[in-house]
Amino acid sequence: MSTISTTDVTWFFACKTTDVPTNGGVCVKYKDEQIALFYFTRSDTWYATQNLCPHRRQMALSRGMTGTHAGEPKVACPFHKKTFSLKDGRCLTDEHECALTVYPVRIEDDRVYIGVNAY
Amino acid sequence: MKIVVIGNGMVGYKFCEKIVEKTNNEGLELVVFGEEPLPAYDRVHLSEFFSGKSAADLGMAPLEWYASRNIKLHLGDPVQQIDRLHKTVLSYKGITEHYDYLVLATGSAAFVPPIPGIDKKGVFLYRTIEDLELMQAYAPQARKGTVIGGGLLGLEAAKALLDLGVKETHVVEFAPRLMPRQIDEQGSLILQSKLEKLGLKIHTSKNTSDILGEGAVTGLRFSDDTVLETDMLVISAGISPRDELAKLSGLETGHRGGIVVNEQLQTTDPSIYAIGECALYNGMIYGLVAPGYEMSEVAASHILGEQKSFTGFDMSTKLKLIGVDVASFGNPFVSPEQGSSIVLEDTMKGIYKRINISPDGQHLLGGILVGDAEAYNLLLQTCKNKVILPPNPEDILLGARNGNAAPGAGVTGLPDDAVICSCENVSKLAICQAVEAGNETLDAVKKCTKAGTCCGGCAPMVKDLITATMKAQGKYIRNVVCEHFAYSRQELLDLVKVKALRSFDEVLDHYGHGEGCEVCKPVVASILASLWNDMILHKGNDTAQDSNDRYLANIQKGGTYSVVPRVPGGEITPEKLIVIGQVAQKYNLYTKITGGQRIDLFGAHLSDLPLIWEELIAAGFESGHAYGKALRTVKSCVGSTWCRFGLHDSVSFAIQIEERYRGLRAPHKLKSAVSGCIRECAEAQSKDFGIIATEKGWNLYVCGNGGSKPQHAQLLAGDIDSETCIRYIDRFLMFYIKTADPLTRTATWLNKLEGGMDYLRNVVVNDSLGISAELEQEMQLLVDAYKCEWKEVVENPELRKRFSHFVNAPEEKDPTVKFETMRAQKKAAEWK
């Protein structure tokens, strides 16, 4: 697994851009973690969050439907359709729900890198 | 108490309705004499007789209505004499009836001006259905037709001539303009130019002095000596009250006609009442139906000892004359001392609007609308209820400008006691209460309150009130899909079909905005599948599918999936059973028999799905669509092949049906069943469509539901053969697919369908909409396009690639998945 380190963020190579379905998500393995990676084809933007839905602690967000709410990108968990902002990870349908961890994404040519905290 | 009613027109009928309602038909003897051979009909919509309505369509109530209420109805038998001393009436046919109270509802006749030659052939009155029938018989030989009278009725008569196919129609008016009593000069001019554009020839300031012709009419001569050639002539120059019987009986009448009445509608004989167009109240004849109805109410109440009075009536009116809206309300002609006017005149579109404002600018006094009368109801209510006008009163004519919100005078601004339906005297409060009680459609409110049942003019306002009341209750009004599509599912389906769009992206480009969401994506994906039946994971539509559809399996606790192969009709060979068992063992799956006579295999990892299906397909299985809003299963009893009671082979029919509709996607899941006899072992009446064998064929039931709100299916058609049954199911399913809201099961859909089961039966069985052939064709297209989607995935490496948990470690399964053991099988670990 190739990684690029900057000051406090470690960028690791997740997959090729073509591995991710248009307007959809995939699950990326990073060490023992699972990260959900989403591609919004229309705006050509990428988002990454934890794959675990905090509601019932299910590894499912990468399989959820993506979309927008009043312009804000979001994903809906396949289990109970709770939706989370992909910008800041907060739950949009239940203010008492825990927020998701979000990760920065960088594209270089056709390669997708996700930034995680450097340890 | 015995009441005799003379006259069976709209008002005479309304009196009967009111008195029967008020007395509950108890202690009442009601006798009605009518001059015409038909029971009361809707004279307001008389010209519709020529646009295809029959006398029966126009009827207020059928003869059975009178019979079932013990009303003695003598038709074609006018009363000739009233003996006030002995309180009896004598009819033309010699019937004598005693009365306690007598009600004169003799109406009016067409006013016939004393023009020489008026009795020539080809000269008609415009008043009764009989008159219309005479005109209808004569019209084919007439190339040119003329109407004398440019008022309301005259223009109606002109429309009748146009409808009868008279090529050249003229209107002759004595006054300098059309409708002089309702609208002002500028309004008349706009109306005239609009009507001329529609082909009418209009002659104003013309006094007819002579009707020309030998035997039959050939033309008119006017006082200015000009001549107008014509092949037929219709007189519609106003009305004259039918007061001859009253005069004969010594009751007081006005010198220009009309039976004089007091505020209780009593004539000079207190046991005799007069109502409608024959009554003269305060020197005025009320030639509209709404005041006539109000008179019926007052008279009926007074006879029963209630104190109500008639104190005049607002003569505001709105009509469609030959397609042109004309309305006048309140005081249409305010003089400069009484107030000021705001006028909008648009000669290009042919629109004229005038509103009259009180001198202090606070209130609306009246107005005129020509060409566009949409604002009529609201203006009328604003006027009647003395609603305070906005600071710029022109806003109520022009609407809000500069991005400001609509001015305050909407329906919500009206007081509770505002009368919305003046024909039936229904207040805003009554309508809103009806809506709050659950009557949320126009039909329901009509039924409950009678509002809008007479002239129908208030219907748009009633609709607005329904919407406003529901909104105030926080209910969902316009059924748009979501923030990304401002259309209902039905609208969107039609649009997608017309444009032949095949992907979510195309639909979003054409009709939506933003990126879509978890609400609209599955709706559009379902619409696309219901229209074209393409493989659902192609064309980028995979990520528009609901999560289960996207992976062609049902997600379960822990993130694994369940697999349901199709077992049509629940019939399965031992060989296939063995394969299911072997696959379950190999992939360590929990097995359970479902309620739909199939076998569900639980606990499959995402990446095992294509492998499992590869084996199932090789053994002859195909997708069961348990993950889709689609046809699930057609359950069956064993039927006549084994059962000693079975009438037909229910299993074979169930298999045939399941194979026909397999893969059919719909607004919600679809379940079906076939029972071989009336014992109903397959529970067909709890299904979206269920079939039960009869001695002669099949009974087809539709719109049943199990689940949380069970509802029995209802009989759509009885004793039909297999072919007819399938045709009806084709039509029923396609009609449902095309009209239902998202995620609405057939039972809920039917409950919301206006007209309910009768309407549905008419559409499906009697083809009342004329769309049956189209529905069948559309269904056949879907049936022919069917392919097992799992077979396509198994054979397509690109699609298979999507069935892995980690994009960067496709061979690894999700390590967080945990199972426990129960009764020698696995189960998902309990979630927190």
Side-chain angles (χ1 to χ4, degrees):
Chain A
M1 198 177 292
S2 57
T3 52
I4 307 167
S5 294
T6 54
T7 44
D8 51 353
V9 175
T10 304
W11 295 92
F12 76 91
F13 168 67
C15 59
K16 295 279 194 66
T17 52
T18 48
D19 291 334
V20 184
T22 54
N23 298 304
V26 291
C27 175
V28 180
K29 184 178 158 91
Y30 174 68
K31 296 183 181 167
D32 285 337
E33 283 181 54
Q34 298 191 18
I35 295 175
L37 171 68
F38 302 100
Y39 179 42
F40 282 58
T41 314
R42 286 176 172 264
S43 52
D44 194 23
T45 46
W46 296 79
Y47 302 95
T49 68
Q50 66 187 57
N51 193 33
L52 185 84
C53 175
H55 173 220
R56 289 292 189 180
R57 307 192 62 75
Q58 301 286 305
M59 284 295 184
L61 290 176
S62 61
R63 300 177 202 168
M65 277 184 283
T66 56
T68 51
H69 171 62
E72 183 162 15
K74 62 172 181 174
V75 64
C77 175
F79 278 95
H80 303 94
K81 294 271 152 63
K82 287 208 175 193
T83 62
F84 297 90
S85 162
L86 295 178
K87 280 216 157 123
D88 57 15
R90 77 185 193 287
C91 183
L92 299 170
T93 42
D94 179 356
E95 53 182 289
H96 302 297
E97 189 53 78
C98 299
L100 307 178
T101 304
V102 295
Y103 304 91
V105 182
R106 208 161 78 187
I107 308 297
E108 276 171 26
D109 300 322
D110 62 346
R111 295 163 69 82
V112 185
Y113 294 88
I114 297 173
V116 290
N117 286 329
Y119 298 105
Chain B
M1 178 179 10
K2 183 167 174 184
I3 303 175
V4 173
V5 181
I6 303 178
N8 187 228
M10 294 177 83
V11 173
Y13 162 78
K14 186 55 75 173
F15 176 84
C16 296
E17 192 187 287
K18 300 254 184 198
I19 197 97
V20 163
E21 202 172 273
K22 284 175 192 291
T23 56
N24 276 326
N25 221 357
E26 281 163 20
L28 176 72
E29 199 185 339
L30 196 53
V31 182
V32 179
F33 288 92
E35 184 179 56
E36 289 184 55
L38 295 171
Y41 54 85
D42 181 355
R43 222 185 286 279
V44 175
H45 296 106
L46 205 53
S47 66
E48 288 173 24
F49 184 71
F50 291 134
S51 32
K53 282 217 175 171
S54 69
D57 290 335
L58 290 172
M60 304 292 292
L63 289 171
E64 303 86 72
W65 184 88
Y66 298 90
S68 64
R69 284 155 184 81
N70 286 321
I71 302 174
K72 221 193 279 174
L73 181 62
H74 302 289
L75 290 175
D77 191 8
V79 168
Q80 304 288 73
Q81 258 178 44
I82 302 170
D83 181 346
R84 288 168 52 197
L85 192 66
H86 298 98
K87 290 196 165 183
T88 58
V89 296
L90 172 65
S91 80
Y92 172 76
K93 291 184 183 164
I95 298 168
T96 303
E97 291 276 3
H98 169 264
Y99 66 83
D100 297 316
Y101 294 101
L102 180 64
V103 177
L104 302 175
T106 46
S108 65
F111 167 68
V112 183
I115 307 169
I118 200 101
D119 51 357
K120 287 200 165 72
K121 229 178 118 191
V123 180
F124 302 91
L125 299 176
Y126 184 76
R127 180 70 193 160
T128 65
I129 285 188
E130 279 180 297
D131 291 336
L132 302 200
E133 283 167 347
L134 292 172
M135 281 168 65
Q136 202 169 24
Y138 198 83
Q141 65 199 67
R143 204 177 54 80
K144 288 184 184 175
T146 303
V147 176
I148 294 188
L152 225 149
L153 277 172
L155 294 175
E156 278 281 321
K159 159 135 175 48
L161 285 182
L162 290 176
D163 285 342
L164 282 174
V166 176
K167 291 254 159 18
E168 196 181 310
T169 298
H170 297 260
V171 174
V172 174
E173 169 60 40
F174 177 73
R177 55 196 172 88
L178 296 175
M179 299 189 68
R181 298 218 282 173
Q182 287 88 5
I183 57 181
D184 63 9
E185 202 175 330
Q186 281 125 300
S188 282
L189 285 174
I190 292 272
L191 175 64
Q192 183 169 344
S193 73
K194 277 215 112 167
L195 295 176
E196 279 167 349
K197 270 188 203 144
L198 292 167
L200 277 188
K201 307 232 178 323
I202 292 164
H203 314 266
T204 53
S205 301
K206 290 284 186 193
N207 186 5
T208 311
S209 57
D210 226 339
I211 294 168
L212 309 173
E214 302 284 322
V217 60
T218 57
L220 305 178
R221 178 178 292 123
F222 303 118
S223 53
D224 59 5
D225 263 351
T226 53
V227 167
L228 175 67
E229 282 181 19
T230 192
D231 306 319
M232 74 186 280
L233 176 65
V234 181
I235 310 277
S236 188
I239 56 168
S240 97
R242 295 282 303 271
D243 58 3
E244 63 276 9
L245 184 62
K247 262 186 198 155
L248 200 70
S249 320
L251 300 174
E252 188 189 340
T253 56
H255 70 278
R256 275 163 57 191
I259 308 163
V260 173
V261 292
N262 63 13
E263 284 191 2
Q264 278 69 47
L265 286 317
Q266 287 166 302
T267 63
T268 40
D269 179 336
S271 50
I272 302 181
Y273 292 73
I275 56 177
E277 292 180 334
C278 67
L280 182 69
Y281 170 76
N282 206 9
M284 180 147 172
I285 297 285
Y286 288 83
L288 289 177
V289 68
Y293 282 7
E294 176 67 15
M295 290 181 185
S296 324
E297 168 71 28
V298 172
S301 304
H302 193 251
I303 288 173
L304 298 174
E306 280 175 58
Q307 279 308 318
K308 272 196 185 170
S309 6
F310 182 84
T311 52
F313 201 87
D314 177 42
M315 293 297 276
S316 302
T317 180
K318 176 186 148 188
L319 310 138
K320 215 173 192 66
L321 292 170
I322 321 178
V324 183
D325 278 341
V326 180
S328 84
F329 58 94
N331 182 354
F333 317 106
V334 165
S335 64
E337 307 84 65
Q338 291 170 306
S340 38
S341 300
I342 297 172
V343 172
L344 170 82
E345 188 173 355
D346 178 347
T347 50
M348 195 169 77
K349 288 188 188 154
I351 291 171
Y352 176 77
K353 296 179 181 182
R354 166 178 172 171
I355 52 173
N356 306 317
I357 315 279
S358 61
D360 58 5
Q362 293 263 10
H363 299 113
L364 185 61
L365 302 175
I368 296 164
L369 303 168
V370 178
D372 170 17
E374 218 188 290
Y376 168 74
N377 280 311
L378 207 53
L379 291 176
L380 174 63
Q381 294 297 334
T382 306
C383 173
K384 270 190 180 170
N385 294 292
K386 302 201 163 44
V387 175
I388 303 287
L389 294 176
N392 299 312
E394 69 271 20
D395 284 357
I396 63 172
L397 266 193
L398 300 170
R401 285 153 298 145
N402 310 329
N404 293 332
V411 277
T412 43
L414 296 174
D416 279 348
D417 56 358
V419 174
I420 304 296
C421 174
S422 45
C423 298
E424 294 286 349
N425 194 20
V426 186
S427 70
K428 175 186 163 185
L429 184 67
I431 291 168
C432 294
Q433 283 172 342
V435 177
E436 280 160 12
N439 301 287
E440 295 178 349
T441 61
L442 181 60
D443 276 350
V445 172
K446 274 179 165 180
K447 241 182 232 162
C448 175
T449 65
K450 283 198 173 182
T453 53
C454 179
C455 73
C458 62
M461 200 152 204
V462 174
K463 272 193 205 158
D464 287 351
L465 278 173
I466 294 172
T467 311
T469 310
M470 287 174 67
K471 261 194 192 146
Q473 291 174 298
K475 289 197 177 156
Y476 195 54
I477 307 295
R478 185 150 192 271
N479 253 341
V480 301
V481 172
C482 69
E483 65 176 87
H484 305 103
F485 289 95
Y487 299 97
S488 69
R489 180 185 174 277
Q490 188 179 349
E491 289 164 341
L492 204 51
L493 182 139
D494 291 339
L495 292 168
V496 170
K497 185 174 184 208
V498 168
K499 284 264 157 108
L501 305 179
R502 297 224 165 194
S503 73
F504 175 78
D505 269 333
E506 287 174 3
V507 179
L508 189 61
D509 284 341
H510 276 84
Y511 299 112
H513 42 86
E515 298 266 356
C517 67
E518 73 281 2
V519 174
C520 59
K521 283 184 171 180
V523 171
V524 172
S526 160
I527 286 173
L528 291 168
S530 289
L531 284 174
W532 318 117
N533 211 359
D534 292 333
M535 164 54 179
I536 63 168
L537 302 183
H538 286 317
K539 300 191 179 76
N541 288 339
D542 53 344
T543 50
Q545 304 295 336
D546 213 333
S547 334
N548 284 349
D549 267 319
R550 180 172 170 195
Y551 295 105
L552 307 178
N554 298 51
I555 197 164
Q556 306 291 353
K557 272 185 188 171
T560 61
Y561 289 86
S562 65
V563 171
V564 186
R566 188 168 295 289
V567 181
E571 182 185 86
I572 188 165
T573 61
E575 289 73 18
K576 279 185 155 179
L577 273 176
I578 288 167
V579 170
I580 287 185
Q582 286 169 338
V583 168
Q585 273 183 334
K586 181 169 172 188
Y587 295 94
N588 185 25
L589 305 174
Y590 165 83
T591 53
K592 188 175 186 310
I593 310 288
T594 71
Q597 304 186 332
R598 324 201 265 190
I599 299 167
D600 206 340
L601 310 163
F602 289 79
H605 281 276
L606 186 58
S607 52
D608 283 343
L609 288 174
L611 301 169
I612 291 169
W613 274 107
E614 197 162 14
E615 296 193 25
L616 290 172
I617 286 164
F621 286 103
E622 56 183 0
S623 169
H625 297 93
Y627 44 81
K629 304 299 179 207
L631 179 83
R632 297 287 171 85
T633 165
V634 182
K635 189 176 167 180
S636 72
C637 70
V638 75
S640 59
T641 48
W642 290 94
C643 177
R644 66 193 193 281
F645 298 115
L647 294 171
H648 308 310
D649 181 358
S650 49
V651 179
S652 295
F653 200 37
I655 292 172
Q656 189 188 345
I657 287 172
E658 183 156 346
E659 290 184 341
R660 180 169 182 78
Y661 302 113
R662 64 190 164 184
L664 176 72
R665 282 188 159 78
H668 211 307
K669 63 185 170 189
L670 290 166
K671 296 182 175 184
S672 178
V674 182
S675 279
C677 79
I678 195 63
R679 284 165 192 77
E680 245 283 67
C681 296
E683 297 165 327
Q685 288 164 100
S686 67
K687 305 299 184 189
D688 294 281
F689 56 107
I691 298 153
I692 302 175
T694 67
E695 295 280 349
K696 295 175 197 155
W698 306 101
N699 279 351
L700 174 59
Y701 294 82
V702 295
C703 300
N705 202 350
S708 63
K709 266 198 205 159
Q711 184 170 322
H712 275 130
Q714 297 178 46
L715 185 67
L716 181 73
D719 293 329
I720 48 178
D721 58 29
S722 306
E723 211 177 286
T724 310
C725 189
I726 285 176
R727 275 216 324 271
Y728 287 173
I729 299 171
D730 276 5
R731 297 174 187 179
F732 160 71
L733 289 177
M734 218 55 224
F735 188 52
Y736 160 67
I737 286 171
K738 293 178 84 170
T739 60
D741 283 336
L743 302 179
T744 305
R745 289 290 295 272
T746 56
T748 317
W749 169 70
L750 178 69
N751 296 345
K752 285 202 267 181
L753 195 67
E754 278 194 41
M757 193 60 205
D758 290 337
Y759 176 73
L760 180 60
R761 189 178 295 109
N762 261 329
V763 173
V764 172
V765 178
N766 304 328
D767 195 13
S768 61
L769 299 180
I771 55 170
S772 288
E774 186 188 331
L775 296 174
E776 287 173 33
Q777 255 167 28
E778 287 165 336
M779 180 60 82
Q780 194 57 48
L781 194 108
L782 298 180
V783 170
D784 294 342
Y786 168 79
K787 281 184 189 156
C788 171
E789 46 209 21
W790 261 116
K791 188 159 186 280
E792 293 197 64
V793 171
V794 165
E795 291 169 355
N796 181 328
E798 270 308 302
L799 291 175
R800 274 185 91 136
K801 219 178 88 181
R802 299 290 183 210
F803 291 82
S804 52
H805 185 66
F806 292 117
V807 67
N808 53 349
E811 66 293 343
E812 285 182 42
K813 291 174 179 166
D814 180 359
T816 65
V817 169
K818 297 275 186 294
F819 299 110
E820 293 162 7
T821 306
M822 183 190 258
R823 289 186 294 276
Q825 288 202 77
K826 73 177 183 185
K827 78 178 192 72
E830 199 48 50
W831 58 20
K832 286 145 198 141

